[in-house]
C-alpha cells in the first residue's frame, strides 16, 4: 500500500530549504527587486516600467534563448567549479550591463546573449551543486528552463504557479531532448525546438522587458546598466536555487511528497501576503 504523502514529514533542514525555494519561485518579481534597490514603492516602479516588449525586443530575446539552448546542449556538461561562483558571475553581468548602459538599446543585441550565457553557466553551477548530473541532456535543459520561471505569467487573470508552469515546460523539454538525442543537433526550425524556445521566450521576455525599461527609473540614474544586470543575475540565481532544490528534494522524498509540502507552504505565504496587504490598506 502506498504511503499517504500528507502524513510524511520532511526533515527540518529539507523543510527549511523548501520554504526558501517556495518563496523564490512563487514571488519572482524583478520590478520589486529594482524597487527595493531604488528605495521606492514597487507600485511606483511598475508605473515607471512600461512594458518594453515589441517585435525587435522579442527577436533579441528569442536569439538569446536560442544561444542559451546551444550552450546548454553543447558545453554545459563541462565540469563546473566545486561551488557556485555567484558573486563573480554577477560582477561579469554588471560589466556587460554597464557597457550596454553606455551604448543604449542598440547594444542589447550583443549584451543580452552574452548576459544570458553568463547566467546559464551560473545556473549550471547551482544545478551541479544541488546534485544534478550535467552529463545528462535532461539536466542541462533543466538549466535553460530556469529562464521560464523568472516571472508569474498570467492567463485569464489567474497567476500560473511554479508547478503548473513546470508541467508545461517540462513536456516541451522532454520532446526537445528526445529530438536532439535522435538527431544529434539543435534544429531551430523543428517544431519541438520552436515550441520550447517560444514558451521560454514568452516568459523570459517579460523579465527582460522590465530590465530594459528600468532605465526609466530616475533614481537608478547613470549606473542603471550595471546595477540592473546585477539584480537581473541575482534574480535568476535565486530562481535556479529554488528550482534545483526542489529537484533534489524530489529525488530524495518523491515528487508527490515535495509537491504536497510545497502547496502548504505556498498557501501560507499567500495568506500572509493578503493579511499584510489588508493591514497596509
Amino acid at each position: 500500500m502506498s504511503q499517504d504523502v500528507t502524513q510524511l514529514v520532511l526533515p527540518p533542514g529539507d523543510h527549511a530549504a523548501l520554504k526558501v525555494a517556495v518563496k523564490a519561485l512563487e514571488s519572482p518579481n524583478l520590478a520589486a527587486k529594482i524597487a527595493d534597490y531604488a528605495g521606492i514603492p514597487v507600485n511606483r516602479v511598475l508605473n515607471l516600467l512600461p512594458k518594453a516588449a515589441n517585435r525587435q525586443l522579442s527577436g533579441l530575446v528569442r536569439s538569446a534563448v536560442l544561444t542559451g539552448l546551444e550552450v546548454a546542449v553543447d558545453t554545459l556538461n563541462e565540469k563546473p567549479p566545486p561551488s557556485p561562483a555567484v558573486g563573480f558571475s554577477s560582477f561579469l553581468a554588471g560589466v556587460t550591463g554597464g557597457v550596454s548602459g553606455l551604448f543604449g538599446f542598440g547594444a542589447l543585441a550583443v549584451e543580452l546573449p552574452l548576459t544570458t550565457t553568463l547566467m546559464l553557466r551560473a545556473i549550471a553551477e547551482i544545478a551541479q551543486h544541488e546534485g544534478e548530473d550535467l552529463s545528462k541532456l535532461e539536466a542541462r535543459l533543466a538549466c535553460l528552463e530556469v529562464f521560464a520561471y523568472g516571472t508569474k505569467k498570467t492567463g485569464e487573470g489567474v497567476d500560473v504557479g511554479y508547478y503548473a508552469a513546470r508541467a508545461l515546460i517540462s513536456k516541451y523539454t522532454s520532446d526537445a531532448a528526445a529530438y536532439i538525442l535522435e538527431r544529434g543537433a539543435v534544429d531551430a526550425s523543428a517544431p519541438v525546438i520552436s515550441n520550447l524556445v517560444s514558451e521560454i521566450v514568452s516568459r523570459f521576455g517579460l523579465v527582460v522587458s522590465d530590465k530594459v525599461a528600468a532605465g526609466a527609473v530616475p533614481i537608478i540614474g547613470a549606473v542603471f546598466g550595471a546595477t540592473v544586470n546585477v539584480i537581473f543575475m541575482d534574480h535568476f540565481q535565486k530562481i535556479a536555487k529554488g528550482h534545483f532544490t526542489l529537484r533534489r528534494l524530489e529525488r530524495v522524498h518523491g515528487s508527490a511528497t515535495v509537491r504536497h509540502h510545497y502547496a502548504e507552504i505556498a498557501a501560507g505565504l499567500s495568506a500572509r501576503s493578503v493579511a499584510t496587504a489588508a493591514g497596509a490598506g
Side-chain angles (χ1 to χ4, degrees):
M1 181 180 293
S2 61
Q3 196 167 5
D4 184 357
V5 297
T6 65
Q7 302 301 314
L8 295 176
V9 178
L10 296 179
D14 287 349
H15 192 267
L18 181 58
K19 285 181 70 174
V20 173
V22 173
K23 186 174 181 181
L25 293 166
E26 292 299 325
S27 308
N29 191 327
L30 183 66
K33 293 172 184 178
I34 293 170
D36 185 57
Y37 167 80
I40 55 180
V42 66
N43 287 343
R44 184 178 165 199
V45 168
L46 289 172
N47 289 334
L48 288 168
L49 295 183
K51 289 300 176 188
N54 54 44
R55 185 173 299 177
Q56 185 179 3
L57 180 58
S58 179
L60 293 177
V61 173
R62 188 174 188 85
S63 176
V65 171
L66 280 169
T67 297
L69 176 59
E70 290 171 356
V71 169
V73 171
D74 293 335
T75 66
L76 281 191
N77 58 341
E78 296 170 359
K79 188 173 177 59
S83 61
V86 293
F88 184 63
S89 297
S90 295
F91 167 76
L92 289 177
V95 171
T96 63
V99 172
S100 179
L102 287 174
F103 294 100
F105 187 84
L108 195 65
V110 175
E111 182 264 323
L112 184 59
L114 179 57
T115 298
T116 302
T117 299
L118 287 172
M119 289 197 298
L120 189 57
R121 293 197 176 281
I123 289 166
E125 291 173 12
I126 292 169
Q128 195 246 8
H129 190 66
E130 292 294 330
E132 297 286 342
D133 180 358
L134 295 183
S135 69
K136 296 179 179 178
L137 179 59
E138 183 272 338
R140 302 200 298 275
L141 291 181
C143 295
L144 186 69
E145 288 178 15
V146 169
F147 294 122
Y149 304 134
T151 188
K152 293 190 79 173
K153 187 180 180 184
T154 59
E156 299 179 355
V158 179
D159 279 340
V160 177
Y162 165 78
Y163 268 109
R166 181 172 158 188
L168 174 63
I169 295 161
S170 294
K171 170 67 169 62
Y172 289 138
T173 301
S174 296
D175 291 346
Y179 178 87
I180 292 167
L181 288 172
E182 179 184 345
R183 300 297 179 93
V186 174
D187 178 0
S189 65
V192 291
I193 302 297
S194 181
N195 288 341
L196 172 63
V197 170
S198 295
E199 187 60 32
I200 294 175
V201 167
S202 72
R203 296 164 185 273
F204 183 44
L206 296 174
V207 188
V208 174
S209 175
D210 279 352
K211 170 186 177 296
V212 172
V217 181
I219 197 167
I220 294 182
V223 295
F224 135 75
T227 301
V228 171
N229 251 31
V230 170
I231 296 171
F232 189 56
M233 173 70 86
D234 179 70
H235 173 75
F236 280 103
Q237 287 176 337
K238 284 184 169 61
I239 299 296
K241 178 67 175 175
H243 178 52
F244 288 109
T245 292
L246 281 183
R247 286 171 59 95
R248 172 175 60 80
L249 294 176
E250 288 169 354
R251 288 193 294 271
V252 175
H253 303 290
S255 179
T257 298
V258 174
R259 185 163 183 167
H260 167 73
H261 286 283
Y262 184 106
E264 284 192 334
I265 294 169
L269 288 175
S270 179
R272 281 194 290 275
S273 177
V274 170
T276 301

